[in-house]
Amino acid sequence: MLTRAAVDAVAAVDGYAGGVYLRSRTEGLLLMAVLAGLPGRLFRPWSRMHVNRPYPVAEAYRSRQSVHLPDAESSMRRFPQLMAGLPFPFASLYEPVTAGTQRFGVLLVLREATPGVPVSALDRERLREAADGLGQELAALAAAGAPVVWEGDPLLVDPPSGGEDAREAADRLPQALLSVDRHGRIRFLNAAAADLIGLGEGRLRGQVVWEALPWLGHPAFEDHFRAVFMSTEPVHFSARRGGDPAGDWMSVGLYPGRSGVTLTIGAEERPSYAPSSVARPGAGLGSPADRASALYRPVALAIALTEAVTARQVSAVVTEELLPAFGGRQLAIYMLDERHLHLAWETGFPKGFLDGFDGVGLDVRLPGVECLTSGRPLFFESMEHLAAAYPGIPLDASVGARAFLPLIASGRPVGSCILGFDVPRGFSPEERTVLTALAGLIAQALERARRYDSEAALARGLQAALLPRRLPVRERLETVGRYLPGTQGMDVGGDWYDVVETGSGLLALVIGDVQGHGVAAAATMGQLRSAVRAFALSGSTPQRVMSGTNQLLIDLDPGQFASCCYVLLDPASGSATAVRAGHPQPLLRHPGGRTEVLDLPGGVVLGIDPEATYPVAELRLARGAVLALFTDGLVEKPGTDIDVGIERLRLALAAAPSAPLTETADLLIGGAGDADRPDDIALLLASRTNGPDAPGAARRRPRG
């Protein structure tokens, strides 16, 4: 289904490559399920895409809106991170794959760039129809009970190809000539190519070109191949045959086409220049190979920066990616706040050395300040040059080199970055260009992190204000609630719990989980909590509480859905009625310690179906029994079946001490307290502490 959709979409809009991203079992992570017309090896870094990243695939999925980028200029303007990793002239079209309120993934097509000419209405309609058709097919699978998620690597699809045999003409050429398909597999080679490789055509046909000619697979050449697979412009470069420094010089030409790429390889005199694309294994710092490697660093750094959502994470990525690329040893990042630069990150400098520069104003004559105020990077090939340019400036070493980079995002000053080296060194024009470009990527990531931190702080304050400050205290019932936000990116989600005194002597135990994170999820959570409380205080039945809340969420139409479990309990007798809306089953620990997963009937999640019904189940809580309501963040881990997590929680509850209940709550949630988790966690425990046992304790039966 997916491969057909990808191939048909490529053909529908006259593209040359495309694919499908599908949601995975990890919340917020899309995986490339199908890749048509491109080699999987070259595009592996883009096979995983988090939905909160600044890439067109993520934007189309998040917004449910089409993203059409007809040329490199529009791509650079809207998604600079994309062009930092794939700086080639191509057009790309992205369509969200949805069905009603369900989001499955994104359909994408690559085609020849049309500078200044937008995507036509007909092509937009064709691609939208293709995505809608795929969405309906996936929705049918989901309705039949199939999990519409992707796991593993993408499927590589062969697009239709054709052509006429030109063997006789090709064999006349003294150059080696190879034709490879859009997955890099050899489909044709002439006699000169067979002689160059030393194998016959029969053994080479179908082999990946980088396996047949390993020296063309050097990382220094990967961007050349990416360029011809992504655009329609030819590429030429020089290389040593076999990758041997003593090997013959070869001239390599790459000529892209709709069905593949033609390679020409011929002998060449030693170039009169030192081409940046020539790779020499074992080359030292400052060699052409290292300068070439630096040119490819934007790819790795841009991808890594998309995973960083806080300023500290951005700084750590820069340390891990930028320093090794250029042989640096020291790094410092200053952030601008109210016309003063404040130290945000440092590594490699003597302890306390940078403290004297923390908080300096923009009127101070320092290289870290002037590079930002002027917008120009400053490079000093030795510490003597730095001291001569800024007399009296404190130095942390007498030998070395320094680069001061302005961090500017979309014209807005963000801060400055200091890159230090232990030995004097020059900065080639290529390195200066790359470092300046990388500084722009870092600035954008830091600006995004600053906005994210502000939103996270707002969401945390909203979440804290909406969660109950304290739970009701009753003679026959003890309740304890716990909440932990997610730790990956410090997301705040929509998990909540509540205990409501209904006024008729009954207590409503509530737990819920709004899909998504951030301010929107926290706000929706507050609306749902208020709605549940209002229905509960009015004396509504559990079924009416759930149905009314479902209708409210649909009427609000926030683009989100929520799960919920509602238990109406009589503390005196222990009798209770419960309803579920797509929420995990509660756990019940009996007085003797036996713990089970309750099999309560349930309905669909809230916010999907206005006609949804929610069956009611009855149960009883014996004196000394503990009822545990929880959200999936406590039991779900990426790559692990949720049933495994529920069983782990059941065993932990069974082994927990009988009292006090606060210790039981801390024990159950303690295992997740220090974990790296993408989701937040809510836990609500209830236990009858005194009073006579009610007949038929802990029996459950569905009703209505």
Side-chain angles (χ1 to χ4, degrees):
M1 182 187 300
L2 297 174
T3 57
R4 184 184 70 248
V7 172
D8 290 350
V10 170
V13 296
D14 198 27
Y16 53 76
V20 178
Y21 281 87
L22 209 62
R23 65 192 185 190
S24 68
R25 295 190 184 278
T26 301
E27 183 180 353
L29 177 65
L30 302 178
L31 295 181
M32 183 178 285
V34 171
L35 182 61
L38 293 173
R41 160 184 168 151
L42 294 183
F43 296 89
R44 187 177 298 114
W46 292 271
S47 64
R48 298 166 60 87
M49 183 65 61
H50 286 272
V51 299
N52 62 342
R53 303 312 183 211
Y55 279 83
V57 170
E59 173 69 19
Y61 183 85
R62 285 196 312 268
S63 67
R64 294 172 172 260
Q65 300 294 320
S66 307
V67 176
H68 298 142
L69 305 172
D71 52 30
E73 182 180 350
S74 61
S75 299
M76 177 62 77
R77 185 171 59 252
R78 293 187 58 186
F79 301 98
Q81 286 84 354
L82 173 69
M83 297 309 292
L86 298 169
F88 318 117
F90 65 96
S92 55
L93 292 74
Y94 308 82
E95 286 288 341
V97 179
T98 63
T101 59
Q102 299 182 81
R103 286 187 292 185
F104 297 107
V106 176
L107 180 66
L108 71 98
V109 172
L110 305 182
R111 66 181 192 178
E112 186 174 351
T114 55
V117 180
V119 178
S120 69
L122 180 59
D123 283 345
R124 293 169 184 259
E125 181 179 353
R126 286 171 174 170
L127 195 59
R128 182 68 260 157
E129 289 177 352
D132 286 343
L134 178 58
Q136 294 301 323
E137 290 183 296
L138 294 176
L141 279 181
V148 184
V149 295
W150 190 260
E151 297 180 274
D153 297 327
L155 299 175
L156 303 181
V157 181
D158 289 317
S161 61
E164 60 184 44
D165 185 5
R167 176 175 301 281
E168 183 177 354
D171 283 344
R172 296 193 189 108
L173 296 174
Q175 292 176 306
L177 185 147
L178 303 92
S179 178
V180 302
D181 64 16
R182 297 201 67 84
H183 293 303
R185 294 183 295 241
I186 298 173
R187 295 306 187 194
F188 172 84
L189 68 159
N190 66 355
D195 292 341
L196 174 70
I197 301 174
L199 293 175
E201 180 180 359
R203 296 180 62 183
L204 291 171
R205 185 184 294 272
Q207 192 173 154
V208 177
V209 65
W210 302 288
E211 297 174 356
L213 294 165
W215 49 280
L216 283 181
H218 192 279
F221 304 137
E222 287 188 355
D223 236 24
H224 296 316
F225 283 96
R226 289 192 188 96
V228 294
F229 278 107
M230 293 291 291
S231 71
T232 56
E233 297 184 1
V235 172
H236 300 86
F237 60 94
S238 299
R240 292 276 200 178
R241 181 176 178 180
D244 185 350
D248 296 332
W249 284 100
M250 310 298 291
S251 175
V252 182
L254 306 176
Y255 302 88
R258 186 172 299 278
S259 61
V261 175
T262 298
L263 279 76
T264 62
I265 306 174
E268 181 181 56
E269 296 295 329
R270 179 183 179 90
S272 58
Y273 60 92
S276 62
S277 58
V278 175
R280 288 197 299 110
L285 180 65
S287 69
D290 278 307
R291 289 196 296 271
S293 297
L295 294 175
Y296 301 98
R297 215 59 197 183
V299 177
L301 183 61
I303 294 172
L305 284 175
T306 64
E307 303 294 328
V309 294
T310 68
R312 186 173 185 84
Q313 290 172 345
V314 171
S315 302
V317 166
V318 175
T319 301
E320 295 167 2
E321 294 289 345
L322 191 61
L323 286 182
F326 294 89
R329 294 293 182 269
Q330 297 87 26
L331 176 75
I333 293 178
Y334 286 84
M335 298 285 288
L336 180 64
D337 184 26
E338 296 184 353
R339 298 189 57 80
H340 287 78
L341 287 173
H342 298 277
L343 183 63
W345 179 273
E346 66 168 303
T347 183
F349 287 94
K351 185 176 181 179
F353 173 75
L354 296 178
D355 292 348
F357 302 97
D358 191 12
V360 297
L362 295 186
D363 56 347
V364 178
R365 189 173 185 271
L366 289 171
V369 173
E370 293 191 343
C371 74
L372 180 61
T373 55
S374 68
R376 296 189 303 272
L378 301 174
F379 298 95
F380 299 97
E381 299 183 351
S382 68
M383 301 303 283
E384 289 83 358
H385 289 171
L386 174 58
Y390 291 88
I393 186 175
L395 300 176
D396 63 293
S398 58
V399 177
R402 295 289 183 267
F404 296 84
L405 309 174
L407 301 180
I408 300 174
S410 303
R412 295 187 302 274
V414 175
S416 59
C417 174
I418 305 174
L419 190 61
F421 304 86
D422 287 345
V423 296
R425 56 157 293 166
F427 296 92
S428 69
E430 295 98 334
E431 288 174 323
R432 294 176 184 235
T433 300
V434 170
L435 282 170
T436 303
L438 292 179
L441 291 180
I442 296 166
Q444 290 174 348
L446 287 171
E447 182 72 4
R448 185 178 68 247
R450 180 147 49 188
R451 291 195 303 268
Y452 184 90
D453 288 342
S454 298
E455 180 178 333
L458 176 60
R460 287 184 187 280
L462 183 59
Q463 180 92 358
L466 294 174
L467 286 171
R469 295 182 179 275
R470 59 182 180 274
L471 300 180
V473 178
R474 299 292 291 269
E475 290 184 358
R476 295 182 175 87
L477 189 74
E478 182 182 4
T479 57
V480 174
R482 292 288 186 270
Y483 172 80
L484 286 178
T487 58
Q488 290 185 5
M490 298 190 297
D491 277 340
V492 175
D495 290 18
W496 92 94
Y497 63 86
D498 204 356
V499 178
V500 185
E501 295 183 283
T502 65
S504 58
L506 304 181
L507 282 180
L509 310 175
V510 192
I511 196 159
D513 183 359
V514 176
Q515 168 262 339
H517 299 91
V519 174
T524 301
M525 177 272 285
Q527 292 172 313
L528 293 187
R529 177 173 176 248
S530 297
V532 171
R533 290 186 67 89
F535 283 119
L537 290 171
S538 69
S540 299
T541 64
Q543 188 176 43
R544 175 57 185 154
V545 170
M546 201 64 73
S547 298
T549 306
N550 175 54
Q551 188 61 54
L552 174 68
L553 184 57
I554 292 174
D555 291 343
L556 290 173
D557 191 23
Q560 295 167 312
F561 56 85
S563 67
C564 186
C565 184
Y566 180 92
V567 179
L568 188 61
L569 176 66
D570 182 354
S573 65
S575 63
T577 52
V579 290
R580 283 193 317 114
H583 201 81
Q585 296 277 11
L587 298 179
L588 178 63
R589 188 181 74 182
H590 296 268
R594 181 174 66 86
T595 304
E596 62 176 319
V597 180
L598 296 180
D599 186 17
L600 303 180
V604 298
V605 293
L606 306 174
I608 300 295
D609 180 9
E611 304 299 326
T613 59
Y614 298 95
V616 180
E618 292 184 352
L619 60 108
R620 288 186 183 275
L621 215 64
R623 181 165 54 89
V626 177
L627 180 67
L629 309 178
F630 55 90
T631 57
D632 56 8
L634 185 57
V635 293
E636 195 169 32
K637 292 184 178 181
T640 303
D641 193 288
I642 191 173
D643 290 338
V644 176
I646 292 176
E647 177 62 15
R648 185 186 307 112
L649 182 64
R650 186 191 69 81
L651 294 174
L653 179 58
S658 299
L661 200 60
T662 53
E663 292 186 5
T664 301
D666 292 339
L667 176 66
L668 297 183
I669 212 167
D674 299 325
D676 186 19
R677 58 185 183 278
D679 204 0
D680 51 348
I681 293 171
L683 172 69
L684 179 61
L685 301 181
S687 176
R688 291 184 64 219
T689 55
N690 54 37
D693 287 334
R699 288 188 295 108
R700 309 173 313 283
R701 65 177 185 275
R703 186 188 74 182

